[in-house]
Amino acid sequence: MFSFCTDPATLSDLPWMACYLTTGKHLNFYAAFGTVLLLLAITAPAALAFGFAGAAAARSRFAPLSLLGKTYIAIVRGVPDIAFFLFFVIALDQGIEYLKHQWVCPDWDQPIRQGNDFIVCQAAKVPLGNAAQWVHKTYSFFVAAFTFAIVFGAFAANVLYGAMRAVPRAQLETAEAYGMTHRQTFWRITVPQMWVYALPGLSNLWMVLIKSTPLLFLLGVEDIVYWARELGGSKTPRFTDYPHGDWRMWYFLVLLVFYLAFTRVSEVVLDRIMARLTLGQATTGGDAQRRVQA
Amino acid sequence: MKTLILTTAALALSAGMALAQSQTIRMGTEGAYPPYNFLNDKGEVDGFERELGDELCKRAELTCEWVTTDWDGIIPNLVSGNYDTIIAGMSITAERDEVIDFTQNYMPPAASAYAGLNADVDVATGVIAAQATTIQAGHVAASGATLLEFATPEETVASVRNGEADAVFADKDYLVPIVEESGGELTFVGEDVPLGGGIGIGLRESDTELRAKFDAAIQTMKDDGTLNRMIVKWFGEGAATF
């Protein structure tokens, strides 16, 4: 990176550190923080959408839809994350390739399953075998985001399902008395009021989501924990210009600070949202706010 | 999210139709097992297998691309088609041969060795660290010692340094630079143990054509002596050659 980095062995501590911290590997490490933040930025709203759809489906008066919603919540919540991540991602990937295979190679005569092997024609690979590395990386990133959204969506669905039922019955009765239809009551009364009951559960989920990003490496996305382990491991001078001992502690300390800072910021933001949502609600929090204002 | 995935898939589809069907061979490796394979300071795959793989691809006239993956998932990802070869210091064993195929070996059967903090560790009864799902882990489990498994080779050595394990059992080629650079902290314990049928490239069982190409390329490298020179370059004068 810097011009004086050609022979690190001769450098004193400070320039050595400057060179060491700007190697290509370290730049990958810094970029991984961006990957993690981007994943959260995409996954959180997506999971909320899945959760909302799941909860609305589970509450539906149309029995098959309700069953579908409840099955989704029960199955995804019940399967261990790691098993789900390993199984679902490979199944999803093979499913996409299978569909594409049926489309682009209709006259393929060999079986797709040959023993342990899953074989589709070259043109049906997703992404294509000869696609650039970044295409592969982007693809696995979105598969990862999708998987996270499904898993956390199921938990969010359960939280929202409970929150919808926590809206005081009197509110719904009033809506009915005003002649609102079932749909109107749902959108105008239940949904705006449920958030105050959902937020504590959702904020828990958010905190768990922040800390579960190391699962990314299972899906082939190199996250910050992977790089911290790789960079912190002791290095012998034969294979690097920057030999050092076991520095994993320092790298994990950086991660610790990052995660603590991030969860702290989240807490502050969530507290503000909570205060905003409590405004005028028939809850203890809402009462407390009223008394302060009066 | 769904639309994003669909858009990506649609994009990949249309691109697939436009492009000619030239195949890129994706080479899967671990990137954490020097000198076989590791990530260099630039974050690229480097090491004996990088140099060997690039040479083999040149001789077999293939375009190759390197991919790193977790050791635990290295075989499942191969059979489901996420890459086309495993070139990651993987010993040829009967169990693995049932699931995937191997080329002829490009490294002769290499010795595995124990390394510990002092030379009088009893490797038959002590706590021995090894990387999970390796032939070394299988050997330790069968030997009667207490097996302590780790996901990466680096962690197995760290567990000896911090006293969690009495010794680590791994490929000797991996341990030699570590023991030499440790300044006397680590030492080899007991006799070397020959394990496995050498190291080969792992391929899907259905990929017979690709296997034939790599087999032929390895044979030419064995015949003209370049393979031996490469082994000596990365593993030192004492390494076993063909």
Side-chain angles (χ1 to χ4, degrees), chain A residues 8-291:
Chain A
T10 58
L11 293 173
S12 62
D13 287 352
L14 207 60
W16 187 92
M17 216 31 147
C19 292
Y20 173 69
L21 290 176
T22 51
T23 57
K25 237 177 176 176
H26 274 87
L27 297 182
N28 286 341
F29 176 51
Y30 307 141
F33 282 94
T35 309
V36 167
L37 292 179
L38 186 63
L39 179 92
L40 292 173
I42 293 177
T43 307
L48 202 57
F50 272 102
F52 190 81
R59 266 173 60 91
S60 167
R61 285 170 304 168
F62 180 55
L65 194 60
S66 159
L67 193 69
L68 186 76
K70 284 179 177 158
T71 315
Y72 164 60
I73 297 177
I75 289 188
V76 179
R77 283 200 330 145
V79 176
D81 280 1
I82 290 194
F84 191 84
F85 271 67
L86 279 177
F87 164 78
F88 180 77
V89 172
I90 288 186
L92 177 71
D93 187 44
Q94 293 190 348
I96 294 175
E97 287 190 349
Y98 177 78
L99 290 179
K100 188 178 170 191
H101 175 85
Q102 298 296 342
W103 185 10
V104 293
C105 302
D107 28 288
W108 183 263
D109 52 357
Q110 291 163 31
I112 287 185
R113 288 234 162 255
Q114 300 180 13
N116 296 304
D117 302 358
F118 177 81
I119 317 241
V120 291
C121 64
Q122 275 303 318
K125 288 259 182 206
V126 181
L128 288 171
N130 57 5
Q133 191 66 8
W134 70 266
V135 180
H136 283 275
K137 292 217 158 154
T138 315
Y139 174 73
S140 46
F141 176 81
F142 280 111
V143 171
F146 184 66
T147 316
F148 266 97
I150 288 192
V151 171
F152 282 87
F155 289 96
N158 203 39
V159 170
L160 292 178
Y161 184 72
M164 286 175 186
R165 286 159 47 120
V167 174
R169 175 79 194 126
Q171 297 278 341
L172 306 183
E173 269 168 9
T174 315
E176 278 159 21
Y178 271 95
M180 286 192 189
T181 63
H182 195 77
R183 176 178 296 243
Q184 282 172 329
T185 317
F186 179 72
W187 284 108
R188 296 185 189 179
I189 310 296
T190 313
V191 173
Q193 292 195 43
M194 73 175 183
W195 296 109
V196 70
Y197 306 104
L199 199 64
L202 291 179
S203 69
N204 257 351
L205 269 185
W206 167 249
M207 295 294 184
V208 176
L209 175 64
I210 291 175
K211 293 178 293 178
S212 65
T213 53
L215 284 172
L216 276 176
F217 191 54
L218 276 181
L219 311 180
V221 180
E222 286 149 358
D223 86 309
I224 47 181
V225 178
Y226 164 78
W227 282 114
R229 214 170 51 173
E230 166 66 33
L231 288 164
S234 57
K235 300 275 182 298
T236 52
R238 216 168 290 180
F239 309 117
T240 170
D241 292 335
Y242 304 92
H244 60 74
D246 191 347
W247 283 4
R248 283 182 300 175
M249 195 175 83
W250 303 110
Y251 281 92
F252 282 112
L253 198 65
V254 171
L255 292 193
L256 182 91
V257 171
F258 169 74
Y259 278 119
L260 276 180
F262 197 42
T263 45
R264 180 73 200 129
V265 170
S266 303
E267 270 177 12
V268 170
V269 172
L270 286 167
D271 279 349
R272 287 204 183 164
I273 298 178
M274 191 66 190
R276 177 78 192 77
L277 286 176
T278 318
L279 209 62
Q281 291 275 2
T283 57
T284 358
D287 276 344
Q289 278 182 350
R290 249 192 307 278
R291 248 175 272 132

